[in-house]
Amino acid sequence: MAALNGLPIAAAAAPPVVGSDLIVERVDLPGEDPQRQAYNLQESASLRVFARSAAGFKQSQILWQRRDPNGGWRAAEPLPFSDPRWRDSDPHLSGDGKTLTFVSNRPDAESASARDDLDLFEAVLSDLDTGQWTAPRRLPDALQSPGQELGPERYGKRLYFASTRVGGPGKLSVYRVDDDETLPPRLLPAPINEGSANSDFTLSPDGRFVVWWSNRTGSEGGADLYLAERVGEQFGLALRLPAPINGAGFEFTPSITADGRWLLFASTRPAPGTAAGLSQVYRVSWPALLETLGTDAHAFSRAALEGQVAALWKSFDHAAGQPGDAARMNALMHPEARVWGQQLNAQLSEVQLRSWSAQAFVAAVGKPSPRALHECEIHREVRRYASQAEVFSVVESRRDPAQAAPDYVGVNSTQWQLGPQGWQMLSLHYAVELPGAPLPRYGGQSGRCVG
């Protein structure tokens, strides 16, 4: 088991939610053919793309649609660079809708024969109104392999894809590429790559969740869809999505619409008017799914936040003549964070408010102090919305951790943001207990530290 700030990261899959009221709807796509399947539907603000193929993903082709001014979709068209000699599949649009990443067996030169494997390609939309795209560009050799590359998705300079290349933990594993595409890709950690096959890694619009398909233990019909919460570069427990999303069919190519309304996916479940074993595209409410999963969907980030709050107070602790843990404090704080402190002046005549930048506050924590300090958080309340959280704490401060009564008590409000680095503190506002105005303990017990 790996760990994040001392918190365990479970790699096993959680059981599905039972008794959900989720409604799965089939998405009607233009050009339906009972002998062809549809998959990889993705919608951005102005475009959507999807793939069609015969059984076995043969004769695969990417189609795209532009949005009408009235909000509907225009007729589906093959991409201008489509060629029946080559197989194009697994399309994904970048966040701005301009870069299309896909896989293909097309050659580098038009005169060459088709490849034996599928490689990674990209094309750029140069003019939305006229429908002009640049010629497809094969991505650098460092990203390719003699195996099959599948399910690519680009998020800024970061690229995710699956590959059957030698060296992965399974027959099909998910990889990540950062800024430098001349370097070999890196495997994603557990729980993404568990079981013999994992692919079609996709992120929610806010980047907090990942959905992908896996054939790990507990899957039905060949493979099921799973969800995990993301905190920095770590992932929480793999949650198998409940019925009727998963079932006896093969569920794959998930994506979440740019407006956050729908989870789209393909499934080989029986569909009227479609030959057995061929996939069609379905959708389910993304907010409803998160509501159905309940606290399980947010448990990993909640535990990570609790760990960061506990680490904050431990950063202040030090023996006499020693500094606090400035390195830990620096890692907790956003570079633009601010600290505000409120206490009585030396004359006990008025409340003073002081302020420090993140850098100044970290420097102060890192200076040796002649007197020891031990912080004990006795009460904590967390209020959170998505990637933002506010934490209210009551903290006792002692020079000697064994002494019964604290030297002073403070109330603290911290604001946190969940971003690419995990949870970071944006601000801290503290106030020390005032004479004649005892600070409520809000149910906390003196000397009993939380976390």
Side-chain angles (χ1 to χ4, degrees):
M1 296 176 70
L4 175 65
N5 296 322
L7 300 170
I9 301 172
V17 176
V18 178
S20 69
D21 294 324
L22 297 171
I23 299 175
V24 170
E25 307 170 347
R26 180 170 167 179
V27 179
D28 294 325
L29 295 173
E32 290 186 355
D33 181 336
Q35 298 304 317
R36 294 183 68 81
Q37 61 184 349
Y39 54 97
N40 256 119
L41 175 63
Q42 187 211 0
E43 293 184 4
S44 68
S46 57
L47 300 177
R48 73 176 179 179
V49 291
F50 62 95
R52 282 201 183 281
S53 76
F57 300 97
K58 297 178 180 179
Q59 303 169 9
S60 56
Q61 183 183 46
I62 299 173
L63 297 99
W64 72 305
Q65 293 178 273
R66 285 169 279 185
R67 193 181 291 277
D68 273 330
N70 62 7
W73 294 105
R74 299 182 188 178
E77 307 171 79
L79 289 166
F81 51 78
S82 290
D83 189 318
R85 294 176 296 172
W86 325 127
R87 294 170 55 201
D88 296 334
S89 188
D90 298 11
H92 179 265
L93 289 165
S94 59
D96 61 7
K98 294 181 178 180
T99 300
L100 179 76
T101 311
F102 63 102
V103 299
S104 179
N105 68 343
R106 62 177 56 226
D108 288 328
E110 285 296 325
S111 59
S113 59
R115 297 177 181 276
D116 294 329
D117 63 325
L118 295 171
D119 279 353
L120 302 166
F121 285 80
E122 285 189 337
V124 176
L125 178 63
S126 52
D127 192 304
L128 177 62
D129 294 331
T130 61
Q132 293 182 348
W133 292 78
T134 62
R137 173 183 70 94
R138 183 175 177 270
L139 297 187
D141 286 341
L143 309 187
Q144 317 287 358
S145 78
Q148 307 291 341
E149 323 309 333
L150 300 169
E153 299 209 2
R154 178 175 291 283
Y155 299 91
K157 293 185 178 181
R158 179 166 291 184
L159 177 69
Y160 298 93
F161 66 95
S163 177
T164 62
R165 67 187 62 199
V166 175
K171 295 180 180 178
L172 179 62
S173 305
V174 182
Y175 293 80
R176 186 186 92 194
V177 181
D178 294 323
D179 296 0
D180 192 345
E181 294 186 354
T182 65
L183 298 177
R186 293 186 289 172
L187 279 163
L188 289 186
I192 305 302
N193 283 313
E194 292 284 331
S196 64
N198 294 273
S199 187
D200 296 343
F201 178 104
T202 192
L203 289 172
S204 60
D206 59 5
R208 288 182 52 219
F209 297 97
V210 54
V211 183
W212 77 106
W213 71 256
S214 177
N215 71 345
R216 66 192 61 201
T217 302
S219 302
E220 299 179 41
D224 280 341
L225 297 181
Y226 289 81
L227 175 145
E229 197 176 11
R230 187 175 74 146
V231 176
E233 301 300 339
Q234 302 287 352
F235 301 93
L237 189 69
L239 303 174
R240 179 177 175 268
L241 299 190
I245 299 173
N246 284 318
F250 172 31
E251 281 72 46
F252 64 114
T253 64
S255 71
I256 301 159
T257 56
D259 59 9
R261 293 183 60 198
W262 302 103
L263 168 64
L264 307 171
F265 64 97
S267 175
T268 61
R269 65 191 63 193
T274 302
L278 296 184
S279 66
Q280 298 301 326
V281 176
Y282 298 84
R283 72 179 188 180
V284 65
S285 167
W286 174 247
L289 171 59
L290 293 181
E291 183 178 358
T292 297
L293 294 174
T295 57
D296 288 346
H298 308 276
F300 185 61
S301 63
R302 172 64 185 247
L305 175 61
E306 299 275 2
Q308 295 290 77
V309 175
L312 169 66
W313 303 116
K314 291 176 182 176
S315 299
F316 291 103
D317 288 1
H318 59 80
Q322 298 297 315
D325 193 338
R328 175 184 279 185
M329 179 68 73
N330 187 61
L332 291 171
M333 299 184 77
H334 188 278
E336 302 298 323
R338 197 93 193 155
V339 177
W340 300 86
Q342 179 179 309
Q343 63 187 65
L344 283 175
N345 61 8
Q347 293 76 33
L348 303 181
S349 58
E350 63 180 358
V351 174
Q352 290 184 324
L353 181 65
R354 297 182 62 192
S355 175
W356 297 265
S357 67
Q359 293 77 14
F361 193 74
V362 169
V365 170
K367 289 182 178 180
S369 174
R371 302 183 66 185
L373 178 64
H374 300 275
E375 301 279 49
C376 178
E377 184 189 18
I378 65 170
H379 174 73
R380 180 188 303 167
E381 298 175 24
V382 178
R383 296 181 178 88
R384 176 183 174 185
Y385 170 72
S387 299
Q388 185 270 345
E390 179 180 358
V391 181
F392 175 85
S393 303
V394 177
V395 179
E396 296 179 335
S397 300
R398 290 174 172 83
R399 299 301 179 185
D400 181 351
Q403 69 189 57
D407 291 287
Y408 50 91
V409 182
V411 60
N412 303 266
S413 174
T414 55
Q415 286 68 45
W416 301 81
Q417 181 69 30
L418 179 58
Q421 306 302 319
W423 286 106
Q424 289 186 302
M425 189 175 72
L426 299 179
S427 65
L428 164 63
H429 184 198
Y430 72 85
V432 176
E433 189 173 54
L434 299 173
L439 182 66
R441 283 6 180 210
Y442 299 96
Q445 297 184 30
S446 181
R448 181 173 291 181
C449 309
V450 299

